[in-house]
Amino acid sequence: MAETPRSVDDAHRACDARDVTSRPWHDVATVRRASGEVPFPPLQPDHLFFNVSLMPYATHPCVCELGQSARQQLSALRLADYLNKTERVELHIVNRAVEFMLDVPGIASLHREDLLAIYTDEGFHTWMMARFRRDVQRQSGHVLSQGPSLAVIRVLSLCETAPQAYRGLAIMAAASVTETLITGTLRRAGASDDVYPPVRVLLADHASDEMRHQAAFVRFVSEWVPTLSCTEREFLDALIPELMMAFLAPELPTWRDHLCAVGLEEVIADRVIRESADPLDIGVQMMEAALVPRRLFERLGMSCSETFARRASRWHLP
């Protein structure tokens, strides 16, 4: 079994050098090639747990005044939230969708073993994150608490309130959206020299698996959508923009909780969010994050991408 990369540079080279979308799962899946525990070097004062370019509020003057230790704690809270979101996507959206996808006939490019490999990957990722939480607390003292994810709650609510006959379509659409959105964020979240090295390795390993998943879901959607009835396509055309917005829109209440947790008063936390969350920037970021699914659904002749673009451009603070 191949050895897990021991630095983020090694991990990124591993992702880039191999064609992970075509090599056998047995050779490239993290669950197959990972060995042993990832080393945890001492946490340095200047280490962060998440790329601050994805945390616009972290560089606000009111946060900077609290000092580096507060910013480190804020980044740990952001990582904990990201792991919670990812875990719930994998268990409650993707693996639930795979159960339905196994019964979809006529998908020539994605075999039953491919789907079961994805199912196995996602279960292993949740185990990776559980082990990682334990090791971070033991080595650094930071507790990466488990909790709900507002984005996943929103996505699941959309699926669960769909008409009963369309519940399977809804969860498969949700997985198709989340699995084609997540890879870019995974790569960016650890792409900074000040991110604690074990975090960078965890996210790089996860991203290498998600590259394969993204390719698999693109193939699935490309064959699945053309087989749907006009009524089913209309349902998806209306649902997919809602799913994208639910998954990508900033989780402002969570930002507020994190800012208060590091010492800001509620009124100051609200001001930091107002001054950090530029609606135009966020709309652009959502469009960029959704590039793969937007192009995919456009190619299939659906109007949901255009609808999402309008929604993203109109996003505003509540």
Side-chain angles (χ1 to χ4, degrees):
M1 189 177 290
E3 204 168 305
T4 303
R6 286 294 172 257
S7 73
V8 71
D9 291 334
D10 290 339
H12 281 160
R13 278 195 292 270
C15 290
D16 294 336
R18 306 169 192 163
D19 183 3
V20 295
T21 66
S22 63
R23 292 186 65 194
W25 176 77
H26 298 274
D27 294 340
V28 297
T30 303
V31 67
R32 297 286 300 180
R33 62 180 172 79
S35 62
E37 302 283 334
V38 174
F40 274 71
L43 181 71
Q44 301 300 321
D46 60 344
H47 277 147
L48 297 174
F49 289 92
F50 209 79
N51 189 341
V52 292
S53 71
L54 298 175
M55 301 167 55
Y57 49 90
T59 55
H60 190 280
C62 291
V63 175
C64 294
E65 287 176 5
L66 297 175
Q68 174 63 15
S69 62
R71 194 160 72 146
Q72 186 180 82
Q73 182 186 355
L74 193 62
S75 71
L77 291 168
R78 179 68 183 87
L79 176 63
D81 180 62
Y82 186 75
L83 295 181
N84 289 333
K85 180 178 183 178
T86 304
E87 180 177 284
R88 281 159 176 74
V89 165
E90 291 170 334
L91 294 181
H92 302 303
I93 297 177
V94 180
N95 275 0
R96 192 181 301 178
V98 168
E99 294 174 5
F100 284 98
M101 292 163 69
L102 287 165
D103 293 327
V104 175
I107 305 297
S109 64
L110 201 62
H111 302 295
R112 183 177 181 85
E113 286 189 7
D114 299 323
L115 291 170
L116 294 174
I118 292 172
Y119 196 94
T120 302
D121 286 342
E122 302 294 46
F124 182 71
H125 293 161
T126 63
W127 179 85
M128 280 172 55
M129 288 183 281
R131 182 185 63 175
F132 184 81
R133 289 187 185 97
R134 177 203 69 198
D135 291 343
V136 165
Q137 182 174 359
R138 186 176 63 207
Q139 298 293 338
S140 74
H142 284 278
V143 177
L144 303 179
S145 299
Q146 290 183 275
S149 164
L150 296 181
V152 177
I153 289 171
R154 293 190 297 245
V155 169
L156 289 175
S157 176
L158 288 167
C159 295
E160 290 162 3
T161 56
Q164 184 65 43
Y166 290 149
R167 297 279 173 85
L169 268 71
I171 197 68
M172 286 188 284
S176 299
V177 167
T178 59
E179 287 297 274
T180 53
L181 289 174
I182 195 171
T183 304
T185 304
L186 271 169
R187 298 294 291 272
R188 290 183 62 200
S192 178
D193 290 340
D194 55 8
V195 173
Y196 187 38
V199 176
R200 300 166 72 189
V201 172
L202 173 80
L203 297 180
D205 275 346
H206 192 174
S208 69
D209 284 346
E210 293 301 335
M211 287 173 64
R212 291 183 295 100
H213 297 183
Q214 182 183 81
F217 272 86
V218 167
R219 295 197 304 273
F220 173 79
V221 170
S222 297
E223 292 193 57
W224 173 56
V225 168
T227 70
L228 300 178
S229 68
C230 290
T231 304
E232 290 169 331
R233 285 171 65 97
E234 288 173 1
F235 168 75
L236 290 185
D237 244 344
L239 177 65
I240 287 167
E242 300 295 330
L243 293 171
M244 289 182 175
M245 291 299 300
F247 193 71
L248 290 174
E251 300 182 20
L252 301 181
T254 302
W255 291 11
R256 186 176 189 264
D257 289 345
H258 292 177
L259 290 165
C260 291
V262 300
L264 293 183
E265 297 179 358
E266 291 182 358
V267 65
I268 302 299
D270 289 336
R271 178 161 71 85
V272 168
I273 291 171
R274 287 196 307 272
E275 295 176 358
S276 302
D278 181 275
L280 290 177
D281 287 346
I282 288 173
V284 169
Q285 290 163 11
M286 287 194 287
M287 287 290 288
E288 291 175 348
L291 181 61
V292 172
R294 285 195 298 116
R295 286 181 173 173
L296 172 62
F297 292 115
E298 284 173 359
R299 179 167 55 80
L300 293 170
M302 300 180 71
S303 62
C304 52
S305 297
E306 185 179 341
T307 305
F308 169 73
R310 289 197 300 269
R311 292 283 307 277
S313 68
R314 296 171 184 168
W315 185 87
H316 59 84
L317 287 162

